[in-house]
Amino acid sequence: MKNQEWKEDGKSRVRSGPEEGRDNRENRNEITRRTFLRKSLLAGAAAGAAANGLFPFIQTIEVAFGAEAFSFAWISDSHLYPKTLNTRFVEKVERAVNEVKAMKPAPDFLIYGGDLAQLGDPVELDLGAEILKALTLKKYYIPGEHDWYLDMGEKWMKLFGKPNWTFDHKGVRIIGLDTISRGPDYWSAKKMSPQERMGHMATLDGSVAGTWAGVGKDQLDWMSKTLSDWPKDKPVIVFSHNPLYEYYPPWNFWVRDWRDVQAGLKPFSKVTSVHGDSHQVLYNEIGKMRSIGMLATSWNWPYPPEGVPVLTTPMVRVDPGDHFDGVGWSKLAVTAADKVNNEYVMWRKDVFAQTQVDSGTGDNTNQILSPRIADRP
Ligand SMILES: [Fe+2]
Ligand SMILES: [Fe+2]
């Protein structure tokens, strides 16, 4: 990654850049190792985090505008099975919840970013809701495909309400988008059972469910209406399960109507999209919109064979012998100058390599050096 600089202080590595030639070069995606927060201060957001006593395991999101500041936490992609089958993923989301609980000062709210369940089973969703109940702070939920396609969202909505929503918080307009429920009908003609329908949705590289991820015209209209009274230079944060750009369509790491989503957000100069689903370190900018992919608590997905956006510093392949390796959650900070910083804090020792690494697809050259097709000249 030629155009990315690393700062070394002997304890951690912080990515700061690439910044030259970018419209919003003041916005930085800062990434730290958890040991770093324990031992030293980092300029900018992490310094604030450390000063506030935030626990280093936790992926929190800290936002500050002028005199106002707040933090919030993101957890997603826990993929819970019923406890009778598997408690591995239960332990991980419980760890995340406990860490959020331990935050001082407490975050203002939690975003749960989808894929709470593995197969949409009501037992799984109830289990997740029960675990998250331990957090008494305000919680906002968006669905993932694993939550939805057994009963088409019935149980999820009973537990968590509407899958899209908006609110304002300390000078930020916040929007939760449902990128899940508008998948085309691939089941009726084939007379699939709900379990079969869900099974196809739960397959990363399956082709039967097709390009299911999308926002839909009705929701796009709703988003535009929601934003119609919002000043163009004030910050907007959009939460969604799927990325709001065409990262890798074969795995539905996108929404099929991403062009329309971006057109709707284009008038706004400070848009940050935060998404789940991809289970990996991921960063991209398109125009003035920045997109940051969150970690899962469950497992990492490999990077797609086409590679990652050029602004992403890929994470190192996960140790398969340690199921807490390479997962966790993240932290973002928006400063008084409206800079938005993201900080991943993973449950592992090393987050990034400074040299080329095999980050999961087995093709080192292709993986690290080739930008995804959409980024190539
Ligand atoms: Fe997921
Ligand atoms: Fe997902």
Side-chain angles (χ1 to χ4, degrees):
M1 306 294 285
K2 276 185 205 136
N3 54 353
Q4 292 181 354
E5 252 176 51
W6 291 91
K7 291 176 190 168
E8 286 284 345
D9 69 347
K11 300 186 186 69
S12 70
R13 298 189 289 272
V14 179
R15 186 189 134 200
S16 60
E19 297 182 358
E20 284 173 24
R22 284 159 51 191
D23 285 341
N24 46 354
R25 58 185 173 273
E26 292 306 311
N27 293 331
R28 300 194 315 171
N29 186 31
E30 293 187 339
I31 303 162
T32 65
R33 260 176 27 172
R34 67 185 187 197
T35 49
F36 181 72
L37 278 179
R38 286 208 180 104
K39 294 174 182 168
S40 60
L41 294 178
L42 168 68
N52 288 330
L54 297 176
F55 276 61
F57 294 149
I58 299 173
Q59 187 170 56
T60 58
I61 300 176
E62 188 179 11
V63 182
F65 297 103
E68 288 198 278
F70 68 94
S71 68
F72 59 102
W74 166 288
I75 305 174
S76 73
D77 295 282
S78 301
H79 292 270
L80 293 168
Y81 287 89
K83 259 183 174 168
T84 47
L85 282 180
N86 179 336
T87 55
R88 173 175 287 191
F89 297 144
V90 173
E91 290 160 20
K92 297 187 193 196
V93 69
E94 282 178 346
R95 175 170 171 173
V97 162
N98 285 335
E99 289 166 2
V100 172
K101 240 161 108 180
M103 282 176 64
K104 288 189 180 65
D108 284 14
F109 53 84
L110 172 89
I111 305 289
Y112 191 88
D115 285 353
L116 181 60
Q118 170 61 10
L119 292 171
D121 186 333
V123 174
E124 299 167 349
L125 288 165
D126 278 334
L127 173 61
E130 195 56 40
I131 294 170
L132 290 165
K133 244 186 220 165
L135 288 172
T136 51
L137 77 181
K138 181 81 187 144
K139 296 186 282 281
Y140 297 91
Y141 298 84
I142 46 177
E145 74 278 16
H146 289 254
D147 302 319
W148 199 268
Y149 278 82
L150 186 69
D151 62 3
M152 302 309 291
E154 201 183 312
K155 175 70 179 179
W156 189 94
M157 284 188 281
K158 210 176 271 175
L159 285 170
F160 305 124
K162 273 188 68 153
N164 63 328
W165 35 260
T166 181
F167 62 96
D168 294 348
H169 194 77
K170 298 180 179 173
V172 187
R173 179 143 298 177
I174 294 171
I175 295 175
L177 283 183
D178 159 23
T179 57
I180 299 303
S181 71
R182 287 156 180 84
D185 181 351
Y186 56 89
W187 54 89
S188 295
K190 292 181 180 166
K191 298 190 169 45
M192 287 180 193
S193 68
Q195 286 77 12
E196 287 168 330
R197 176 175 62 203
M198 181 68 243
H200 287 294
M201 190 55 73
T203 308
L204 179 67
D205 56 355
S207 56
V208 175
T211 52
W212 53 264
V215 175
K217 172 99 176 61
D218 61 312
Q219 196 176 195
L220 282 163
D221 291 345
W222 169 82
M223 185 179 80
S224 295
K225 204 166 149 235
T226 295
L227 287 168
S228 59
D229 63 344
W230 193 244
K232 304 286 185 282
D233 61 344
K234 287 189 77 178
V236 177
I237 300 179
V238 185
F239 295 106
S240 59
H241 185 65
N242 299 76
L244 298 178
Y245 63 99
E246 83 304 15
Y247 172 29
Y248 192 61
W251 295 351
N252 275 282
F253 287 175
W254 77 330
V255 287
R256 58 180 183 271
D257 42 6
W258 60 270
R259 287 183 183 82
D260 300 326
V261 177
Q262 289 185 19
L265 294 169
K266 203 174 177 185
F268 300 89
S269 57
K270 292 165 188 161
V271 179
T272 301
S273 152
V274 181
H275 67 82
D277 196 43
S278 46
H279 297 209
Q280 59 196 216
V281 168
L282 188 65
Y283 182 78
N284 194 21
E285 293 179 10
I286 296 176
K288 297 222 161 50
M289 187 178 102
R290 311 165 67 237
S291 295
I292 310 174
M294 299 284 103
L295 303 172
T297 59
S298 55
W299 68 78
N300 290 126
W301 284 126
Y303 286 114
E306 284 182 19
V308 295
V310 288
L311 296 176
T312 294
T313 302
M315 62 192 289
V316 176
R317 167 182 267 183
V318 172
D319 174 2
D322 178 0
H323 69 265
F324 281 94
D325 186 31
V327 293
W329 43 321
S330 184
K331 170 179 186 174
L332 287 86
V334 182
T335 68
D338 288 342
K339 292 200 297 187
V340 180
N341 297 308
N342 174 45
E343 182 186 335
Y344 294 106
V345 190
M346 288 184 195
W347 296 331
R348 72 184 310 184
K349 290 181 192 131
D350 291 302
V351 180
F352 296 95
Q354 289 173 273
T355 55
Q356 293 171 31
V357 292
D358 176 0
S359 49
T361 63
D363 182 348
N364 216 7
T365 308
N366 183 51
Q367 178 68 32
I368 303 302
L369 297 180
S370 300
R372 67 204 176 99
I373 287 169
D375 285 343
R376 290 175 202 162

